[in-house]
Amino acid sequence: MPIKIVMGTAASGKSHFIKTHFPEYEHLDVLDYQNEVKKKYGDLDSVDFETYRMALAEANERIKEDLVKAVSEHKLVVMEHTLFKAKRRIVYVEALREVTDEPVEIYVMAPSDERLKDNIRQREELDERSFYRLKGEWEQIELPNISEGFSKIYLVRDDVIEEYIAPARPEIIAPAKEEIRLEQEEIKSKKEKEEKFKCAVERTKTEPFLHYCEVCGKQEYLTSKEAFSKSWDYPGADGIYKKRKNYGFAMFLPRTCGDCSMTDTFYWKLALGNKTEEGVTERNKETLKRIQKEPFNLLKN
């Protein structure tokens, strides 16, 4: 039996279409995977762009693995996904080809303006302004091509399903694969850096590490608890910034010994609005560089 993929923007009717036409199929929805990943990364609307990319990539990888697993177990399966870009679709089809020769059919949701507006009215998280955003997203979709490995491509306009036939474009395959390869290498590298950072932070929970006062230059190797008892304002599991992410390491915050004041720190200078190049000293620049390298530069080898 053909493997089914249903793609399109939010509120385009993907879920309803699947329930209506493929009720007997196991339904994999990328939104469910994204919601699961949110538990790990937090609210994706508030994270930085790189973290957002990693979160989406993780959700994409998880649903791909489950799709391949279901197909290898000879289950009827339909995947619901946005899949705006050809490169993403190529990865899924290639993964499927490793476990099956069954045809892969894709349905592109292309609702009329009236149907889209009606769908939006039924979604609490959307409003009338969403119509123009979703229309814009539709215009950015790279429509599937037979060269991507699909046996059939369909356009679904409201309740009408029509086969979509376009000239083959084999020239898109190699660049798309290379783009995905570079993207995966970048994500892998970022994850490795994050893991090393987490390991270094874990070491600071039990090992003495360098405490450097940015004001007077005093240096001491102390545990976080020892530093706190000596009134250091410094990152660490027992330090003054213990409730901050990663206990404050690599975050731009004051770093002072118990004898110096926060008002003499680079952080305080910027907090008062002195952001001109002339107001930044060499010591300030060194402080910022040192913070950016934490906690690796604080631990003894």
Side-chain angles (χ1 to χ4, degrees):
M1 294 287 290
I3 301 154
K4 310 288 187 179
I5 297 175
V6 180
M7 62 167 282
T9 68
S12 60
K14 299 188 295 295
S15 296
H16 178 74
F17 177 80
I18 289 170
K19 290 175 183 177
T20 301
H21 293 274
F22 313 120
E24 74 279 15
Y25 277 59
E26 180 175 336
H27 181 185
L28 301 180
D29 185 349
V30 72
L31 183 60
D32 293 335
Y33 290 80
Q34 291 172 357
N35 288 335
E36 185 65 28
V37 168
K38 283 182 182 180
K39 298 176 183 178
K40 173 181 176 181
Y41 290 93
D43 184 4
L44 295 186
D45 293 330
S46 62
V47 299
D48 61 86
F49 179 68
E50 286 304 314
T51 303
Y52 180 81
R53 282 184 61 205
M54 285 189 62
L56 292 187
E58 185 171 328
N60 287 336
E61 189 64 24
R62 288 185 186 182
I63 193 173
K64 183 182 74 173
E65 290 173 356
D66 285 354
L67 175 67
V68 171
K69 183 175 183 292
V71 169
S72 66
E73 294 172 353
H74 308 291
K75 295 179 179 178
L76 292 175
V77 61
V78 55
M79 180 178 70
E80 177 179 344
H81 207 305
T82 49
L83 292 177
F84 291 172
K85 300 298 181 181
K87 65 179 183 180
R88 195 71 56 200
R89 298 189 296 262
I90 290 168
V91 168
Y92 284 95
V93 174
E94 285 205 333
L96 288 169
R97 284 291 160 257
E98 292 179 4
V99 297
T100 184
D101 292 326
E102 290 290 342
V104 182
E105 299 178 350
I106 189 164
Y107 297 77
V108 185
M109 305 304 295
S112 64
D113 288 356
E114 287 307 310
R115 177 63 64 87
L116 180 58
K117 288 177 181 178
D118 186 53
N119 291 346
I120 288 171
R121 283 191 287 268
Q122 299 178 48
R123 302 274 288 267
E124 291 183 0
E125 72 277 16
L126 300 177
D127 55 31
E128 291 183 2
R129 293 171 296 180
S130 302
F131 171 77
Y132 299 100
R133 174 176 61 82
L134 294 174
K135 285 287 288 184
E137 287 182 7
W138 162 253
E139 292 171 1
Q140 298 301 313
I141 291 177
E142 296 174 2
L143 288 174
N145 188 275
I146 203 74
S147 299
E148 297 171 24
F150 297 111
S151 57
K152 295 282 186 180
I153 302 169
Y154 299 97
L155 285 181
V156 182
R157 187 170 181 83
D158 300 345
D159 300 315
V160 179
I161 304 172
E162 294 182 342
E163 186 172 359
Y164 174 73
I165 300 175
R169 295 182 59 205
E171 71 276 5
I172 70 172
I173 303 302
K177 287 183 179 180
E178 178 62 11
E179 190 174 345
I180 284 289
R181 185 188 68 79
L182 293 174
E183 180 182 286
Q184 290 174 338
E185 284 187 359
E186 180 185 352
I187 291 171
K188 180 181 178 182
S189 175
K190 187 173 178 64
K191 284 185 176 180
E192 288 174 349
K193 288 179 181 178
E194 286 187 349
E195 189 59 35
K196 288 179 181 178
F197 181 81
K198 287 180 183 178
C199 290
V201 170
E202 282 296 310
R203 286 180 59 190
T204 66
K205 291 181 179 181
T206 56
E207 298 179 25
F209 58 92
L210 180 64
H211 288 65
Y212 186 103
C213 179
E214 65 173 281
V215 178
C216 69
K218 182 178 181 179
Q219 300 182 42
E220 287 188 281
Y221 273 94
L222 304 166
T223 64
S224 183
K225 186 175 292 186
E226 289 171 341
F228 187 72
S229 69
K230 291 186 174 185
S231 299
W232 279 81
D233 288 347
Y234 220 84
D238 297 296
I240 194 171
Y241 309 129
K242 60 187 175 184
K243 292 185 178 180
R244 300 272 186 153
K245 182 179 180 182
N246 300 315
Y247 309 117
F249 289 111
M251 296 183 70
F252 184 48
L253 297 164
R255 282 148 175 77
T256 62
C257 67
D259 299 321
C260 292
S261 170
M262 184 180 76
T263 58
D264 295 320
T265 64
F266 186 26
Y267 176 91
W268 190 260
K269 179 183 292 186
L270 292 186
L272 291 179
N274 187 356
K275 300 179 181 179
T276 63
E277 185 68 25
E278 293 76 14
V280 178
T281 66
E282 286 302 316
R283 171 171 280 190
N284 294 154
K285 294 177 182 178
E286 288 301 318
T287 294
L288 187 56
K289 289 179 182 178
R290 190 165 52 250
I291 290 172
Q292 291 171 336
K293 294 178 181 179
E294 290 177 353
F296 303 102
N297 57 335
L298 305 178
L299 289 160
K300 293 181 179 179
N301 292 333

